[in-house]
Amino acid sequence: MKNFMLLLFALLIIVVFGGSAFFFWDVDKGSRFERLDQPAAETEAP
């Protein structure tokens, strides 16, 4: 039973850190595209 609880705890840690890493990667990717789109919008405006 102790091994089963340790296994669940390890899976919980993997899911939490994996989810947060994916979240930060997704936010970073979105901000990078947003920065690329802003100069294009500024050059088309005038």
Side-chain angles (χ1 to χ4, degrees):
M1 191 64 177
K2 182 181 177 183
N3 288 337
F4 181 70
M5 294 299 289
L6 288 174
L7 179 66
L8 286 179
F9 186 65
L11 286 174
L12 179 69
I13 290 175
I14 290 171
V15 168
V16 167
F17 280 109
S20 59
F22 177 76
F23 173 75
F24 284 120
W25 174 77
D26 195 38
V27 167
D28 183 43
K29 185 180 66 171
S31 62
R32 197 176 308 142
F33 282 126
E34 187 178 344
R35 280 188 225 123
L36 288 175
D37 288 341
Q38 283 176 354
E42 290 173 2
T43 55
E44 291 173 3

